[in-house]
């Protein structure tokens, strides 16, 4: 019988587990499901290139070719949060070494081109042959922190749950509910006086570092969640 600890040790892909409970009433937060190329989370989507819809273990997902595909959304859902968690279900399919596949950016009102702002939250991966490792990053006024451990690698091809969280003092990253790295941080809420902020899925906002793979869903909470409370992490029945 499948055991949860086998998944966390990397023995089983997420696709073998029960679908995540994306309809929970708790924890409170904002859910984006990438099952449409027209809107996500009630927000209009701008297409870059020609992303496509594909099947995932939990319904439709958006796939990116790693060359020129991406989605642009005019909102940073964690603006003003004193603490946060970002979760996502994604499938890395290999390709270039450096890939930025989730980019949230505040608008500081300076008129700086998208992708060059100084207040942002990111998910990236590094691909080495047929494996990948996670790069989580956050920067804003008075703080700038990367979480990356090249020794913690996973095979490309399966679906994975990833998360990053910050309680205001410690920044942490996770793969399939297992801690990957953590570091102290003096976090302050990300403000966006120039507008609602913006998001890019499948590339860095300034149209480089494209992602080869697929994204099913993301969840944003304005508090640091314990892994047992992650909303998108699949549970065994």
């Amino acid at each position: 019988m499948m055991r949860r600890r086998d998944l966390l040790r990397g023995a089983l892909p997420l696709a073998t587990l029960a679908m995540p409970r994306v309809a929970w009433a708790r924890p409170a937060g904002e859910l984006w499901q990438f099952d449409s190329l027209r809107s996500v989370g009630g927000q209009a989507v701008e297409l870059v290139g020609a992303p496509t819809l594909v099947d995932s273990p939990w319904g439709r997902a958006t796939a990116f070719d790693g060359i020129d595909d991406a989605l642009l959304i005019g909102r940073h859902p964690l603006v003003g949060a004193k603490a946060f968690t970002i979760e996502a279900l994604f499938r890395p399919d290999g390709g270039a070494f450096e890939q930025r596949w989730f980019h949230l950016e505040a608008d500081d009102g300076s008129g700086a081109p998208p992708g060059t702002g100084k207040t942002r939250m990111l998910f990236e991966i590094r691909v080495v042959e047929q494996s990948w490792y996670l790069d989580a990053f956050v920067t804003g006024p008075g703080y700038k922190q990367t979480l990356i451990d090249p020794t913690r690698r996973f095979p490309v091809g399966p679906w994975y749950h990833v998360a990053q969280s910050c309680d205001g003092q410690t920044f942490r990253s996770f793969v399939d509910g297992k801690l990957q790295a953590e570091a102290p941080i003096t976090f302050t809420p990300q403000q966006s006086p120039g507008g609602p902020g913006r998001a890019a899925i499948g590339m860095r906002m300034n149209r480089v570092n494209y992602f080869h793979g697929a994204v099913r869903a993301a969840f944003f909470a304005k508090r640091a969640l314990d892994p047992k409370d992650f909303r998108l992490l699949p549970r065994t029945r």
Side-chain angles (χ1 to χ4, degrees):
M1 184 172 69
M2 293 182 297
R3 293 175 296 181
R4 181 173 173 75
R5 65 171 178 266
D6 293 329
L7 170 66
L8 300 184
R9 290 171 179 165
L12 295 170
L14 276 181
T16 64
L17 294 187
M19 68 179 294
R21 300 174 183 178
V22 296
W24 285 10
R26 62 179 183 86
E30 184 170 338
L31 176 65
W32 289 5
Q33 298 193 75
F34 296 94
D35 54 2
S36 168
L37 298 177
R38 301 181 65 181
S39 66
V40 170
Q43 306 292 313
V45 169
E46 177 185 344
L47 299 183
V48 177
T52 59
L53 294 178
V54 297
D55 290 329
S56 82
W58 314 283
R60 301 292 269 170
T62 298
F64 307 90
D65 65 5
I67 301 172
D68 59 2
D69 288 349
L71 305 177
L72 293 173
I73 299 171
R75 187 159 181 271
H76 180 338
L78 292 171
V79 165
K82 296 179 180 179
F84 69 87
T85 299
I86 308 172
E87 302 179 54
L89 290 166
F90 88 125
R91 187 193 71 204
D93 289 340
F97 172 68
E98 182 177 352
Q99 301 180 38
R100 180 174 300 183
W101 57 277
F102 216 102
H103 181 138
L104 301 178
E105 184 170 287
D107 186 344
D108 62 8
S110 67
T116 63
K118 297 181 179 179
T119 303
R120 57 191 187 272
M121 301 175 180
L122 312 174
F123 272 128
E124 300 188 10
I125 57 170
R126 300 293 182 266
V127 176
V128 179
E129 296 178 346
Q130 295 300 305
S131 66
W132 66 277
Y133 54 94
L134 185 66
D135 179 348
F137 177 78
V138 63
T139 185
Y143 59 92
K144 185 176 184 179
Q145 184 63 58
T146 302
L147 297 179
I148 191 167
D149 185 347
T151 68
R152 294 177 178 266
R153 298 185 186 180
F154 304 88
V156 300
W159 287 87
Y160 294 90
H161 175 280
V162 295
Q164 57 178 281
S165 70
C166 179
D167 60 8
Q169 298 179 319
T170 305
F171 183 39
R172 297 181 173 92
S173 63
F174 303 84
V175 175
D176 291 346
K178 185 174 182 180
L179 182 68
Q180 301 297 291
E182 62 182 349
I185 191 172
T186 304
F187 182 76
T188 57
Q190 300 205 338
Q191 304 299 337
S192 190
R198 49 202 172 223
I201 299 88
M203 67 174 185
R204 179 172 171 158
M205 193 84 64
N206 57 343
R207 306 193 183 209
V208 296
N209 303 132
Y210 286 90
F211 171 58
H212 184 209
V215 181
R216 161 57 187 170
F219 180 72
F220 311 95
K222 293 187 176 182
R223 64 186 179 95
L225 298 177
D226 187 276
K228 67 180 175 57
D229 296 321
F230 285 159
R231 177 162 174 175
L232 296 182
L233 183 63
R235 269 84 172 166
T236 55
R237 295 188 186 276

